[in-house]
Amino acid sequence: MEEKTLVEIAVEFNIEINKLRNKINYEKRKGNAIGFKKDGVLYLNSNDIEQIKKYFGVIEKPIELNVEFNNEFAFLKKQLEEKDKQIFKLQQALDQQQILTKQAQDQNQNLLLENTEIKKELSEEKNKNFFQRLFKL
């Protein structure tokens, strides 16, 4: 005989646990004892579970829906994996672009420093008079 806890039933049939507790307490007050306690936990046997299904109008889902759901789940999972791969490749491309941009900036900075040094040397040469330039003093 199948035994499940109150919480397991609530999750399985998507019923709020408080509603389920209230219904069980209501039925108990009416004289219809549902479930049994073991170590302080309320358990329901298969007959009790059938009663709960009737009280809350739980309908067994056909197996076809589960198969369709599983197929849809597999399809979506495959799509998610593909998107993860795309994101990974784009992240790698972005990292590579950032590295190239940093190298270009460094090269540009070096060229600017060289240009500044050359201009400084030229201005020093211009400031020298004819004899200083002639004798490279």
Side-chain angles (χ1 to χ4, degrees), residues 9-59:
I9 298 298
V11 170
E12 182 177 338
F13 299 133
N14 196 22
I15 301 170
E16 289 183 26
I17 190 138
N18 288 335
K19 284 185 180 181
L20 188 56
R21 279 189 184 122
N22 290 341
K23 184 64 175 174
I24 289 172
N25 289 335
Y26 174 75
E27 291 298 322
K28 186 177 181 181
R29 284 192 301 271
K30 283 178 40 180
N32 301 331
I34 297 177
F36 59 94
K37 284 196 175 189
K38 183 174 18 172
D39 296 327
V41 178
L42 185 63
Y43 286 89
L44 303 172
N45 60 28
S46 56
N47 294 335
D48 296 334
I49 293 171
E50 289 302 318
Q51 283 183 319
I52 296 295
K53 287 180 184 178
K54 288 179 187 175
Y55 293 147
F56 288 96
V58 175
I59 300 171

Side-chain angles (χ1 to χ4, degrees), residues 67-83:
V67 170
E68 183 178 324
F69 173 77
N70 287 339
N71 290 340
E72 183 73 15
F73 179 76
F75 174 73
L76 292 174
K77 186 176 179 181
K78 184 179 176 183
Q79 275 189 331
L80 183 61
E81 288 170 356
E82 289 175 7
K83 296 297 179 191

